[in-house]
Amino acid sequence: MTHPTIDPDLEELLRARLRHLAEQAPASDSEAVLETIATQQTRRPWRAALIGSAAAAALVMGWLSVAARDAIPPPSDRYTVGTARGPLPAIPDGWRWEAYHDVAVAVPDTWGYGTSGVPYCAVKDVAERTTVGRPGAVPLMGCSGGLQPDMVAVAGTFVDMSPSRDLRYRVPKVADGESTGDRTTRIVGATAIEVQARQPLRDQILATITPLPVTGANGCRRDVPLVDDPSWRPAAQRLPRPDPVTDVAVCTYDIGADGGLRAATQLPSSAIRRTVEALSSAPQGGTPDRSVCSGSYGDQVTLLRMSDTSGRTHEVVLRYAGCAHRGIDDGSTVRALTKQALADVLIGPHRAGAIGMEISDVVP
């Protein structure tokens, strides 16, 4: 029997990644290790398919890519790789901006949210699929005709954003500006954007792709300290009363060297009062650390930027991804995470990845 061969460089990258994940929790804490590797396994009906065996299978299947910083495809000449200085341009009524790390793209307001690279046969209703996808856990399964066919009729309509380095192991290879079927791929900086839609909608979406300015999108800045320093606290000030609050920007960031603004949205006006009230009424003291914990902040954090009628902005940090330092932090007081405070916040593109089992009842 001839065994499949594995690219030595790819194998080493995977081994290094698995070692890193294992170091995030003591060997005696098997639950912590599984929580780190199996993102959202407690909240997905297909969670059994997301355990560590997915990583090994991916080497053979070739569809789950591994980070490789030395092979980022070059961006198109039509885009500026650096950070844009000014605000985002105007878009048509009925459209909204979506941001991911160093890129922004506009889509119709009616679109929902999904996960980049999810197999089409795992989608309940492909005919109704119109989603913006970001990296996350996907079910390990095979679909007839491939995992993501480039036809709307088969795999639906979507904009998927992911690190461009992931294209290194894509089969077949994908280049910037390449179009196949109903799909066109663009690369801006370190981000790949795959737009799958029928014309003329596809070209309308492609025309909006732009580098994300420092000012960010939807009230969320790109250049916050949290990305490199998850211990950062906002300027100390009391949480505002609900009445003066006019809008709340929900800003989620990936933490670390490859991190950045993951998602930026505005809290619906109908949810502002109950969210501000829930934040203020949460018990003081923060959420207890896990009994066996390495002090990790996790890989994701959310910042709320609440503007009031006086023109002031109140910032609140929500920490939930690690096994320590969890809670609602307004810079002066740390409160415990509560179901009411997170219910309208950690949803859609802000949905939490890996979390501790002990807080699964308060995180949506």
Side-chain angles (χ1 to χ4, degrees):
M1 176 181 178
T2 302
H3 294 282
T5 59
I6 300 175
D7 182 339
D9 293 336
L10 176 59
E11 181 181 19
E12 181 55 33
L13 284 169
L14 179 59
R15 289 182 181 276
R17 178 58 176 162
L18 292 178
R19 283 195 298 270
H20 172 73
L21 291 174
E23 289 169 0
Q24 302 305 303
S28 60
D29 190 358
S30 58
E31 176 182 289
V33 175
L34 287 176
E35 287 165 7
T36 304
I37 298 176
T39 303
Q40 289 185 313
Q41 61 172 322
T42 62
R43 300 194 302 281
R44 293 288 186 269
W46 28 260
R47 62 184 182 272
L50 299 177
I51 310 303
S53 59
L59 289 171
V60 179
M61 295 181 67
W63 61 271
L64 184 60
S65 61
V66 176
R69 299 192 181 108
D70 60 344
I72 298 176
S76 168
D77 292 338
R78 61 182 286 186
Y79 297 118
T80 302
V81 179
T83 303
R85 294 182 180 274
L88 291 170
I91 53 177
D93 290 341
W95 285 55
R96 69 171 189 262
W97 282 110
E98 293 288 339
Y100 178 75
H101 288 200
D102 52 5
V103 69
V105 59
V107 298
D109 270 337
T110 54
W111 283 34
Y113 294 101
T115 304
S116 298
V118 65
Y120 79 91
C121 55
V123 179
K124 291 183 178 180
D125 190 348
V126 171
E128 298 297 323
R129 179 189 184 187
T130 50
T131 58
V132 177
R134 291 170 174 81
V138 297
L140 181 62
M141 61 174 59
C143 305
S144 60
L147 295 172
Q148 283 277 35
D150 56 19
M151 301 299 294
V152 168
V154 179
T157 302
F158 56 83
V159 171
D160 276 359
M161 297 179 285
S162 60
S164 58
R165 62 174 180 261
D166 288 0
L167 298 181
R168 181 183 184 187
Y169 298 105
R170 182 69 60 82
V171 178
K173 296 292 184 181
V174 179
D176 177 57
E178 180 177 332
S179 295
T180 58
D182 294 325
R183 185 184 308 166
T184 299
T185 301
R186 296 294 192 208
I187 297 173
V188 177
T191 300
I193 310 98
E194 296 179 278
V195 180
Q196 179 154 310
R198 292 191 175 96
Q199 296 290 20
L201 178 59
R202 178 158 40 118
D203 281 346
Q204 292 170 349
I205 294 173
L206 289 167
T208 70
I209 296 175
T210 183
L212 184 66
V214 173
T215 51
N218 300 328
C220 298
R221 292 188 63 86
R222 174 178 173 175
D223 59 343
V224 298
L226 278 168
V227 174
D228 298 315
D229 179 14
S231 67
W232 176 85
R233 303 186 70 188
Q237 56 181 324
R238 298 179 60 182
L239 285 170
R241 293 180 294 104
D243 290 338
V245 177
T246 57
D247 61 82
V248 178
V250 183
C251 319
T252 295
Y253 297 87
D254 290 326
I255 296 172
D258 294 327
L261 180 59
R262 178 179 177 86
T265 63
Q266 283 283 322
L267 196 66
S269 56
S270 59
I272 290 178
R273 168 174 284 277
R274 62 173 175 261
T275 297
V276 176
E277 288 178 342
L279 291 169
S280 300
S281 62
Q284 295 187 14
T287 297
D289 294 350
R290 186 183 298 144
S291 57
V292 179
C293 175
S294 61
S296 170
Y297 282 90
D299 58 3
Q300 189 173 307
V301 66
T302 296
L303 175 68
L304 303 182
R305 306 187 76 242
M306 298 178 284
S307 302
D308 63 24
T309 52
S310 71
R312 292 184 299 176
T313 298
H314 304 258
E315 294 184 318
V316 177
V317 177
L318 306 179
R319 297 186 179 91
Y320 46 84
C323 59
H325 316 291
R326 297 173 296 191
I328 301 166
D329 185 1
D330 63 8
S332 60
T333 304
V334 179
R335 295 173 171 81
L337 299 171
T338 66
K339 186 173 183 178
Q340 294 76 15
L342 305 181
D344 295 301
V345 175
L346 298 186
I347 58 176
H350 306 282
R351 189 171 295 279
I355 63 167
M357 294 286 291
E358 66 278 4
I359 63 169
S360 61
D361 59 333
V362 301
V363 178

